[in-house]
Amino acid sequence: MASIKRTAVLLLMMELFQVMDAAIYKVGDSAGWTTIGNIDYKGWAATKTFQVGDTIVFEYNPQFHNVMRVTHAMYRACNASAPLATYTTGNDSITIKTRGHHFFFCGVPGHCQAGQKVDINLPRNEEDLAPTPSASTSSTLSPQVPAARVPGPSSSSAISFKHLGNLASAVAVLETLVFNFA
Ligand SMILES: *[C@@H]1O[C@H](CO)[C@@H](O)[C@H](O)[C@H]1NC(C)=O
Ligand SMILES: *[C@@H]1O[C@H](CO)[C@@H](O)[C@H](O)[C@H]1NC(C)=O
Ligand SMILES: [Cu+2]
């Protein structure tokens, strides 16, 4: 009986940690945020699967660089005249709160043009992107229809946990439960 309860608690914790599993990514890895070495930030970002709640860290010498969050148009044009946000500490942690594109570059003249720019992209759900069948008449690819997901008991509990306002206190409660079983 106790082992069943313990298993249930562990399953709930695993679901919680999936929700809370926030990663921290240092932009450019060990090279950091720089113009030295022609870092391929686009390639760097392409190897990552960013999730909402993840944090990206820009590490650089603030005497020589900065970080600006900009629109897509400004990103394309390396136009630093009206950034959405500017960071200058040299160790800037930015938490990604929404899906879609998040454009950053260094606002020091010439640096964006030299490639010191990165697009942190969280593709929106495929369901959102999937064209409606009537709209894809010219497509040569047969659209993949994902199998319908039948919600089971575990997914319904995951959903209820996702809707908990205070995940931290939920984890604390679960940890107390697990320690009581141990
Ligand atoms: C840069 O952006 C500003 C604000 O959007 C705009 O007024 C200006 O014309 C742009 N400059 C260039 C060179 O595109
Ligand atoms: C940057 O900040 C993080 C904590 O926010 C810290 O762990 C790290 O050592 C800092 N890096 C530098 C180079 O100061
Ligand atoms: Cu720079």
Side-chain angles (χ1 to χ4, degrees):
M1 192 59 201
S3 70
I4 292 171
K5 276 187 189 169
R6 187 185 301 186
T7 306
V9 169
L10 286 176
L11 284 173
L12 285 172
M13 285 193 72
M14 282 163 63
E15 285 172 356
L16 260 179
F17 281 124
Q18 272 189 333
V19 173
M20 302 183 66
D21 183 27
I24 298 173
Y25 295 102
K26 183 176 164 186
V27 177
D29 295 324
S30 57
W33 186 234
T34 179
T35 48
I36 297 168
N38 289 316
I39 311 290
D40 177 10
Y41 291 106
K42 189 176 180 177
W44 174 85
T47 65
K48 309 292 184 287
T49 306
F50 300 106
Q51 302 290 343
V52 168
D54 287 352
T55 297
I56 54 168
V57 181
F58 290 90
E59 216 173 272
Y60 55 93
N61 184 334
Q63 284 187 298
F64 302 121
H65 306 284
N66 61 34
V67 178
M68 289 180 174
R69 189 168 68 81
V70 294
T71 64
H72 192 193
M74 293 158 85
Y75 180 82
R76 267 184 315 215
C78 288
N79 182 342
S81 65
L84 304 172
T86 304
Y87 306 87
T88 58
T89 69
N91 191 8
D92 304 319
S93 294
I94 300 166
T95 301
I96 303 299
K97 299 196 175 90
T98 58
R99 304 201 70 83
H101 291 274
H102 303 76
F103 299 103
F104 299 93
F105 61 50
C106 177
V108 173
H111 288 199
C112 171
Q113 289 86 345
Q116 200 179 6
K117 59 196 295 195
V118 68
D119 169 13
I120 305 296
N121 184 22
L122 288 67
R124 297 177 198 279
N125 289 339
E126 279 156 47
E127 294 168 41
D128 300 341
L129 293 177
T132 56
S134 60
S136 60
T137 48
S138 65
S139 176
T140 54
L141 298 166
S142 57
Q144 300 269 340
V145 178
R149 283 187 50 193
V150 181
S154 65
S155 66
S156 62
S157 64
I159 286 164
S160 65
F161 270 97
K162 274 175 191 168
H163 287 197
L164 269 183
N166 195 334
L167 284 169
S169 69
V171 166
V173 167
L174 284 173
E175 277 174 351
T176 310
L177 283 169
V178 167
F179 283 128
N180 286 345
F181 281 123

